[in-house]
Amino acid sequence: MLTGGAWSRRCGGRCPPCPPRKIGVEEELMLVDPTTGQLTAVSQSAVLANEAPEEVGHELFLQQIETSTPPCERAEDLLVGLRAGRRAVGEAAAAAGARAVAMATPVLAEQDEHFTPKSRYRQIQAEYGEMARQSLVCAMHMHVDVASDAEAVRVVDGIRPWLPLLVALGANSPYWQGRDTGHASWRSQVWSRWPTAGPAQPFGDVATYRAVSEQMLGWGAGLDAGMLYFDVRLAADYPTVEIRVADVCTDVEDALLVALLARALVATVAADPTRPTWRGDLLQVAGWRAARHGLAGDLVHPVEARLAPAREVFEATVEHCREALRESGDLDRVSASFERLVATGTGATRQRRVLESAGSLRAVVEDLARRTEESWA
């Protein structure tokens, strides 16, 4: 859950000039044994026994832990919040004898899942079986404030073609249970198995969004609104839209790039009354291409609906939301961060580079742990 600061309904553009939209980020991290690099089921100890701060929370599995930021207007404040949250979970994990690692999928082969012993999580395990057992993955969720539910639905509908780029930028999960998946973001493919996950069809209005959501839950696709796993959804507890497509990023600057671009897209789409015409099945393919290749292959152009180099897609996205990026003061930072990412490679590229040089997936986990800890220093 997002911490610190207060969310409130955005004014809807009636104040001259409006401040940047607030954004908050939730990150899920894995808990690993410092000696073996294997996952370790100690989140209850980390969260409860050691009086962890409010930034630290439970997830579905005991091998996971969650951190969150306050709602922020400035990029620098969000960066501070990301570092502080990671430091909090890192210290809580260390007190429980573990390391908190920003990796999106289990890199090493794991034998057991340990569900967090809460009634809701037990019910998820019982109801969804193997689908739940194979959901030990870690994402980054971004909340951006909106003026109304009507504006939120306009964002949910209109932002869909732009989300695959966020998948590609944050791709950080090439390995799954000791195997190379051939994907840059395998986490996104694992998560797409849930019946409510993925790019929903356009809703058009709030009433339709509510009706479709209720019908899906009524048919058993989720226990409650928290299990509406649309790529972007109306948040249940905050006046925000929640964008849910990105892997957790090991390097905090990667996370910041994804978050700032997501906020600019929300602001741009919220101001656009036109309705998208993209089919959900085509967007599913666009998202898969981003997950398969990251920035190393062609992506689907969000305007022209054709394959194009990742740089061209990024430049089209920046052009689309240039005004929002300029108003928030993030334009130069986003452009520079993209160039850095192209030069260094995505998280997935960096993981494969470590395996190639060290010859061991254990070394990949160690590198992820080290870089996670450096990110909050």
Side-chain angles (χ1 to χ4, degrees):
M1 298 293 287
L2 297 176
T3 61
W7 287 103
S8 58
R9 277 292 183 200
R10 186 166 175 82
C11 68
R14 292 183 292 273
C15 54
C18 273
R21 289 173 185 263
K22 290 181 180 178
I23 181 170
V25 174
E26 298 166 335
E27 292 187 301
E28 300 160 348
L29 284 79
M30 300 277 191
L31 296 169
V32 304
D33 183 280
T35 302
T36 67
Q38 300 287 154
L39 300 186
T40 180
V42 297
S43 68
Q44 265 201 312
S45 297
V47 175
L48 297 178
N50 296 288
E51 298 182 354
E54 63 176 352
E55 293 93 341
V56 180
H58 286 295
E59 270 299 325
L60 179 61
F61 293 92
L62 288 172
Q63 297 101 319
Q64 294 173 294
I65 197 166
E66 183 185 65
T67 178
S68 57
T69 74
C72 302
E73 292 179 359
R74 297 173 60 251
E76 285 300 328
D77 293 336
L78 183 59
L79 187 59
V80 168
L82 287 166
R83 294 190 191 282
R86 289 184 177 203
R87 184 179 304 110
V89 297
E91 291 172 352
R99 299 173 84 179
V101 183
M103 64 181 187
T105 49
V107 171
L108 303 178
E110 302 288 343
Q111 299 303 315
D112 300 304
E113 312 88 17
H114 299 274
F115 286 84
T116 300
K118 289 187 173 183
S119 59
R120 182 172 184 271
Y121 294 149
R122 289 196 188 99
Q123 192 175 356
I124 290 173
Q125 178 185 12
E127 184 68 24
Y128 299 99
E130 191 66 16
M131 189 182 300
R133 287 189 287 274
Q134 293 193 19
S135 294
L136 180 50
V137 295
C138 290
M140 175 175 71
H141 300 155
M142 296 159 286
H143 288 259
V144 183
D145 67 353
V146 289
S148 65
D149 287 350
E151 182 178 88
V153 171
R154 185 159 69 245
V155 170
V156 168
D157 286 352
I159 203 173
R160 300 176 309 138
W162 308 93
L163 296 181
L165 176 63
L166 303 187
V167 175
L169 292 171
N172 193 36
S173 50
Y175 302 115
W176 169 262
Q177 299 280 5
R179 299 186 300 276
D180 190 328
T181 66
H183 285 67
S185 172
W186 186 244
R187 179 212 61 84
S188 62
Q189 300 308 291
V190 171
W191 201 253
S192 69
R193 300 170 185 170
W194 288 97
T196 61
Q201 299 286 49
F203 295 102
D205 54 51
V206 177
T208 302
Y209 180 94
R210 300 293 186 202
V212 170
S213 298
E214 289 174 10
Q215 192 163 26
M216 293 176 79
L217 297 178
W219 289 356
L223 300 182
D224 49 41
M227 290 187 69
L228 293 171
Y229 295 143
F230 305 139
D231 286 349
V232 55
R233 69 184 184 184
L234 276 66
D237 299 318
Y238 308 106
T240 67
V241 290
E242 182 185 2
I243 299 170
R244 305 172 48 84
V245 297
D247 291 357
V248 67
C249 298
T250 307
D251 294 323
V252 73
E253 289 287 349
D254 295 356
L256 187 65
L257 168 61
V258 174
L260 295 180
L261 200 52
R263 175 171 68 174
L265 286 167
V266 169
T268 301
V269 173
D272 183 1
T274 61
R275 295 293 182 184
T277 57
W278 281 73
R279 291 174 56 95
D281 45 14
L282 293 178
L283 288 174
Q284 191 79 27
V285 175
W288 168 77
R289 282 200 66 90
R292 172 69 177 85
H293 301 291
L295 299 179
D298 289 347
L299 303 176
V300 175
H301 197 290
V303 177
E304 300 175 6
R306 60 175 174 82
L307 294 183
R311 177 176 292 279
E312 184 178 341
V313 172
F314 173 78
E315 290 172 351
T317 303
V318 168
E319 186 59 33
H320 174 68
C321 56
R322 181 175 297 275
E323 182 178 352
L325 286 168
R326 186 181 292 115
E327 289 179 353
S328 65
D330 298 329
L331 179 58
D332 291 343
R333 184 167 203 151
V334 162
S335 297
S337 294
F338 177 75
E339 295 302 332
R340 175 193 53 78
L341 193 60
V342 169
T344 61
T346 64
T349 301
R350 285 171 250 183
Q351 288 188 44
R352 288 198 168 105
R353 194 178 295 145
V354 172
L355 179 62
E356 184 178 351
S357 75
S360 146
L361 286 176
R362 174 68 183 89
V364 173
V365 175
E366 175 59 32
D367 180 72
L368 289 166
R370 175 187 58 79
R371 288 193 288 122
T372 302
E373 290 162 0
E374 288 175 354
S375 75
W376 70 67

